[in-house]
Amino acid sequence: MSTVVFKKTEGLTDKTTHYCPGCTHGIIHRLVAESLEELGVLGDTIGVAPVGCAVLAYKYFKCDMHQAAHGRAPAVATGIKRARPENVVFTYQGDGDLASIGAAEIVHAAARGEKITTIFINNAIYGMTGGQMAPTTLIGQKAATAPLGRDPKLAGYPIKVSEMLATLEGAKFVERVSVDTPINVRKAKKAIKRAFEIQLSGEGFGIVEVLSTCPTNWGMSAIEALEWLRKNMMPKYPLGNLRDDNKGDN
Amino acid sequence: MTSQALIIAGFGGQGVLTVGKLLAYAGMVAGKEVSWMPSYGPEMRGGTSNCHIMISDELIGSPVVAPHEATSVIAMNGPSLDKFEDWVAPGGHLFINSSIIERKPKRSDIHIHYIDANELAKEAGTMKAANMVMLGSYLAISKVLMEKQILDVFTKVFGEDKAKLIPLNEKALNSGKCAIENR
Amino acid sequence: MNKVLMKGNEAIALAAIKAGCKCFFGYPITPQNEIPAFMSEELPKINGSFVQAESEVAAINMVYGAGGCGVRVMTSSSSPGIALKQEGISYLAGAEIPCFIVSVGRGGPGLGGIQPAQSDYFQATRGGGNGDYKVPVVAPNSIQEAIDWTYKAFDMADEYRTPVMMLIDGLIGQMMEPVSFENQSCKEFDRSGWATTGTKGKRDPHIINSLYLEPRDLEIHCLKLQAKFDLIRQKEVAWEEHNLEGAEIVAVAYGITSRIVKNSIEKLKEKGIKMGLIRPITLNPFPVEAFSNLPRSVKSLISIEMSLGQMVEDVKLASCGKYPVDFFGRTGGVIPTPEEIVNYIEKLVKEGK
């Protein structure tokens, strides 16, 4: 007799994704979809896809979706949640979308305590447009628009989005995770699920920042990219919970 | 009744917009066509404020009183007289709050009415009612509406809790009328 | 009829609520501030939602969110704010989201001024958003008409799944006139085939989207949008004709300017000059038909605007070179007087134009 030990989540469609080999978007999609399925809210969920590598995410999540203009996903999600408070609403955004062009939208959605969940993919680079410098690009990191590496004198410093948003009272859950190892994937899943629970309890805004790789634009193999993430990104963007106001209650 | 094209002007706090609203509202209830157009923007903040009011038996075209076409102008302070004296149509009426306007108008082709509005309002109970005194004078000349028609809509414009102010405002309207009739 | 005296901005807001508007997203800007203020007070009473957004850009994207999930939604702004909303309007048109946008015009360019102007005719009818899209634009000239068209605009938005814009100016927004909300009703629409409401596990996901990576797919989508606009052109175009019988000159004016022109027409009558008026009520689609059967007496057209000449281009296109088209306008927040229009027309007549 055989037992099912792993099954594809109901939360994803059967479409083949367009993501590059070794990219961690696929894992994160699965974690989001699994969380929604396990919480029993997939049929109530409305997601918002960004502009960037995840622009086609509306084809992959098996729930109602909006495709938003660049950076505006938190505003679109605000409109959805205000119109349909009974639905579960999430945004899925990259670092260019969220931390650069959409900086105002994410800060104010968090400040208002919008009851939405944001999944923030930080891979320190613009992927879709071809490896340009992102707000989260590390000092010295090379990019198509920083050929000699990011020079703080010319391009300033990386933004620590989670630390910044954690200062806002409306942000009830903020955690930075990574999907570089099986144990970190499990921790990421836990955080994502918790962020949706915060939304379901009506507490306020929740965000999970997921450190992610971009082997293609970093110019590395998938394994090298994971190594690079651990060696370079983690020290600058430490993993851990930055805010979970009512943890004690649960 | 011929069409009325009225400008009421003064400084912020003299109630030029509200007294205009009261007149327009009463006109509407009386079955007339009316429009009320306020000035807006920085001039409201501390400077002069004004509204243009049209009252007519026919559909109103432009709600803006054109220069030299106002049938009446009520000037509550000096800057308003400076600004709107020229707007009065030949043969039209200019109502001047003589309590605070010292200068005399230059025009000789219009009817000029000096009303000691602040003093009369004080006598009626409060200086705040100077706008109602001026309205009383305007009604006495224009005959566009009866005082009672104004008082009947008082609570509709200002709310039921202001009903207690009706006797005071009636007094103010009346003293404005008397200022015209008894001169 | 039960009449109340209301400010244009407030009347539009109340009409919107009566038409079933449940959500409003806006950002402060003069001279439209009464609309969000009214909405912030009234929407919570009917379990609706008001959000003062962080910017016009965010506000229009909130409209995209709420409209996409099938709720009647609106925003309002004024010239520089509408400029910021253009990106969102393009997305709304592309994703076929019904919504109502009120533009209360003021002088420009740049920060410009805050007094009434019609220099955003191009902004409204052409739009600054990217791509092959068109947004229906209506321009009432009284507060009652603004109310009536607010109901109609919401219905049109649902009927054709499109954003609909109402273009007024600071004057109509700020002034008060007697109005009635009686005899108004809105149609019922079934949005269950496209709105995002959650699949409940019972249907395929609904996707609100304007992205088509295959050129042919995008072309088909644009052709569909175009066909929709052609249908609007057939069914929804509106205009008013005034004093056309025997007119030698026909003025074309919309919004508040049309009322000033009516005063000029009366004054011209006294001088023995017969001027008529065509007042476009829908600016987009433009009432081209209004120019096809003008009386034989008509010799020329003149577009009169509170701008330096924007609608005049549509007048030229609509009249197909059959008539000389002149222009008179004031801009920057200066309201033309009936007298100066009269003087200009008299000069034209003297010069034999």
Side-chain angles (χ1 to χ4, degrees):
Chain A
M1 207 177 96
S2 57
T3 351
V4 176
V5 292
F6 181 82
K7 184 166 138 297
K8 188 180 165 228
T9 169
E10 280 299 307
L12 292 177
T13 65
D14 291 333
K15 291 221 170 61
T16 308
T17 72
H18 67 291
Y19 298 117
C20 302
C23 166
T24 41
H25 265 304
I27 299 171
I28 304 163
H29 277 33
R30 173 170 65 82
L31 300 183
V32 171
E34 280 177 358
S35 300
L36 292 170
E37 187 186 8
E38 286 165 22
L39 290 167
V41 296
L42 196 56
D44 299 319
T45 299
I46 305 172
V48 185
V51 169
C53 282
V55 68
L56 295 173
Y58 61 84
K59 292 190 176 184
Y60 310 140
F61 287 109
K62 210 196 276 180
C63 60
D64 283 358
M65 292 290 292
H66 285 222
Q67 199 292 312
H70 202 18
R72 316 301 174 218
V76 173
T78 297
I80 297 169
K81 189 70 180 187
R82 294 298 183 115
R84 298 201 176 276
E86 66 280 11
N87 286 81
V88 175
V89 182
F90 76 91
T91 72
Y92 189 101
Q93 305 174 256
D95 42 46
D97 189 87
L98 181 142
S100 187
I101 195 168
E105 283 78 5
I106 194 65
V107 166
H108 287 276
R112 284 191 303 267
E114 293 296 340
K115 295 167 188 64
I116 61 171
T117 304
T118 290
I119 310 300
F120 168 40
I121 315 304
N122 179 3
N123 60 7
I125 204 142
Y126 279 74
M128 180 64 108
T129 45
Q132 293 85 356
M133 186 185 67
T136 48
T137 294
L138 300 175
I139 298 298
Q141 186 186 339
K142 285 185 179 167
T145 48
L148 304 176
R150 183 174 188 165
D151 177 357
K153 286 199 203 90
L154 298 172
Y157 297 86
I159 297 177
K160 293 185 172 186
V161 170
S162 288
E163 282 79 356
M164 179 176 75
L165 294 181
T167 64
L168 299 171
E169 284 181 50
K172 297 299 180 192
F173 182 84
V174 182
E175 187 158 324
R176 186 182 288 119
V177 298
S178 169
V179 288
D180 63 308
T181 62
I183 186 157
N184 274 343
V185 170
R186 276 199 293 278
K187 282 184 188 165
K189 165 86 173 284
K190 212 175 143 200
I192 289 170
K193 208 165 163 180
R194 173 83 184 130
F196 278 113
E197 282 166 357
I198 297 283
Q199 176 178 168
L200 288 167
S201 71
E203 280 176 55
F205 178 82
I207 181 169
V208 179
E209 175 178 345
V210 189
L211 299 187
S212 192
T213 60
C214 184
T216 301
N217 287 302
W218 290 0
M220 298 174 197
S221 73
I223 304 287
E224 285 167 350
L226 290 172
E227 267 310 313
W228 193 89
L229 179 148
R230 278 189 286 269
K231 209 176 140 202
N232 298 283
M233 287 184 75
M234 279 188 188
K236 209 68 203 153
Y237 300 115
L239 304 187
N241 184 275
L242 289 147
R243 191 134 181 195
D244 192 358
D245 288 8
N246 296 322
K247 207 173 189 175
D249 303 350
N250 290 304
Chain B
M1 182 207 91
T2 53
S3 290
Q4 293 288 314
L6 167 69
I7 293 173
I8 310 176
F11 54 73
Q14 281 186 311
V16 302
L17 298 186
T18 46
V19 78
K21 229 181 268 185
L22 191 65
L23 175 65
Y25 204 101
M28 173 185 78
V29 170
K32 295 181 185 302
E33 299 292 340
V34 300
S35 67
W36 173 91
M37 191 204 78
S39 57
Y40 65 90
E43 63 181 10
M44 280 164 69
R45 297 172 191 117
T48 61
S49 162
N50 68 77
C51 59
H52 294 205
I53 296 158
M54 300 285 188
I55 305 175
S56 175
D57 291 327
E58 284 158 26
L59 274 177
I60 289 162
S62 171
V64 187
V65 178
H68 323 298
E69 290 185 16
T71 54
S72 291
V73 165
I74 298 174
M76 298 289 290
N77 67 351
S80 300
L81 177 62
D82 297 344
K83 187 168 178 184
F84 291 113
E85 180 177 345
D86 283 345
W87 288 51
V88 183
H93 298 267
L94 175 59
F95 299 82
I96 292 176
N97 178 7
S98 57
S99 310
I100 52 173
I101 303 176
E102 285 171 8
R103 89 163 173 87
K104 297 275 179 282
K106 299 173 192 111
R107 301 272 299 265
S108 55
D109 59 339
I110 57 174
H111 305 280
I112 293 163
H113 313 279
Y114 297 96
I115 317 292
D116 195 1
N118 288 17
E119 278 311 309
L120 291 170
K122 231 184 273 171
E123 281 167 27
T126 168
M127 211 168 82
K128 280 187 196 157
N131 56 353
M132 293 296 277
V133 173
M134 296 299 274
L135 179 63
S137 303
Y138 167 73
L139 292 177
I141 294 285
S142 69
K143 313 260 192 267
V144 62
L145 290 166
M146 315 278 283
E147 278 167 56
K148 186 175 176 309
Q149 289 172 298
I150 301 286
L151 296 168
D152 282 351
V153 300
F154 194 84
T155 53
K156 289 213 173 72
V157 175
F158 300 115
E160 289 298 331
D161 56 327
K162 296 288 186 318
K164 57 180 191 290
L165 296 175
I166 292 178
L168 185 158
N169 281 280
E170 186 174 5
K171 242 193 240 173
L173 272 179
N174 200 42
S175 63
K177 181 174 84 174
C178 293
I180 295 290
E181 288 171 354
N182 301 339
R183 54 184 175 173
Chain C
M1 211 182 264
N2 220 344
K3 289 206 168 181
V4 285
L5 193 66
M6 272 188 106
K7 259 193 174 195
N9 284 338
E10 286 169 354
I12 289 167
L14 179 57
I17 288 177
K18 285 177 185 279
C21 178
K22 289 284 185 296
C23 292
F24 181 96
F25 307 105
Y27 186 82
I29 183 168
T30 305
Q32 60 83 56
N33 290 319
E34 292 82 1
I35 300 179
F38 188 93
M39 288 304 199
S40 68
E41 191 168 342
E42 296 303 320
L43 277 174
K45 293 181 190 165
I46 56 160
N47 283 325
S49 185
F50 166 87
V51 178
Q52 179 171 320
E54 58 271 32
S55 66
E56 285 91 351
V57 174
I60 194 74
N61 282 285
M62 290 175 188
V63 169
Y64 182 94
C69 50
V71 168
R72 280 203 159 171
V73 56
M74 74 175 282
T75 185
S76 63
S77 191
S78 177
S79 309
I82 296 289
L84 283 171
K85 287 184 199 283
Q86 294 293 344
E87 172 201 63
I89 294 171
S90 167
Y91 277 72
L92 285 158
E96 301 182 85
I97 298 179
C99 63
F100 182 46
I101 301 157
V102 180
S103 170
V104 187
R106 57 187 250 187
L111 203 46
I114 58 169
Q115 297 303 319
Q118 295 181 322
S119 37
D120 292 323
Y121 180 90
F122 284 153
Q123 184 190 54
T125 61
R126 271 60 167 177
N130 59 301
D132 261 324
Y133 75 100
K134 295 188 173 74
V135 170
V137 180
V138 301
N141 79 343
S142 71
I143 299 177
Q144 185 64 56
E145 202 174 68
I147 291 169
D148 299 347
W149 274 96
T150 296
Y151 288 87
K152 272 190 222 170
F154 273 106
D155 278 355
M156 261 171 80
D158 268 315
E159 178 107 35
Y160 301 97
R161 283 188 61 192
T162 176
V164 176
M165 183 181 282
M166 177 177 283
L167 178 65
I168 56 171
D169 58 74
L171 239 164
I172 292 181
Q174 295 295 326
M175 68 187 262
M176 284 178 126
E177 285 184 315
V179 291
S180 163
F181 290 85
E182 288 169 18
N183 307 321
Q184 295 286 2
S185 65
C186 270
K187 294 182 204 155
E188 287 292 318
F189 290 89
D190 179 13
R191 305 177 186 94
S192 64
W194 57 268
T196 55
T197 54
T199 62
K200 310 291 170 204
K202 288 179 179 157
R203 58 161 172 77
D204 287 340
H206 287 167
I207 296 165
I208 299 295
N209 177 41
S210 64
L211 178 67
Y212 296 83
L213 288 171
E214 283 298 323
R216 181 58 188 147
D217 290 348
L218 180 53
E219 185 180 50
I220 290 168
H221 177 62
C222 291
L223 286 168
K224 181 186 165 200
L225 298 182
Q226 184 68 24
K228 206 157 68 170
F229 195 74
D230 286 341
L231 196 62
I232 294 171
R233 200 191 301 278
Q234 281 169 37
K235 295 172 79 169
E236 311 291 349
V237 168
W239 73 93
E240 182 199 343
E241 295 177 354
H242 175 75
N243 208 43
L244 286 186
E245 201 55 51
E248 291 162 47
I249 302 176
V250 172
V252 189
Y254 70 96
I256 199 69
T257 311
S258 68
R259 294 173 61 166
I260 297 166
V261 169
K262 280 184 180 176
N263 286 24
S264 305
I265 287 172
E266 292 310 304
K267 288 172 186 286
L268 284 165
K269 252 183 213 169
E270 293 163 16
K271 295 171 186 279
I273 297 171
K274 287 182 182 168
M275 183 162 85
L277 170 70
I278 291 174
R279 171 171 76 93
I281 298 171
T282 53
L283 301 182
N284 203 31
F286 194 73
V288 174
E289 301 91 318
F291 299 85
S292 58
N293 279 314
L294 291 174
R296 296 176 65 93
S297 56
V298 176
K299 291 190 189 120
S300 65
L301 306 175
I302 178 167
S303 187
I304 302 176
E305 308 172 37
M306 295 200 297
S307 80
L308 291 183
Q310 302 195 2
M311 182 177 69
V312 64
E313 294 191 4
D314 279 338
V315 175
K316 284 179 181 169
L317 285 170
S319 57
C320 295
K322 273 167 76 181
Y323 306 97
V325 178
D326 211 304
F327 171 78
F328 180 82
R330 298 298 303 265
T331 197
V334 177
I335 302 165
T337 65
E339 198 62 41
E340 63 184 313
I341 294 169
V342 165
N343 292 343
Y344 188 83
I345 302 288
E346 271 193 302
K347 202 178 109 221
L348 281 187
V349 170
K350 258 187 215 150
E351 290 166 3
K353 282 191 185 164

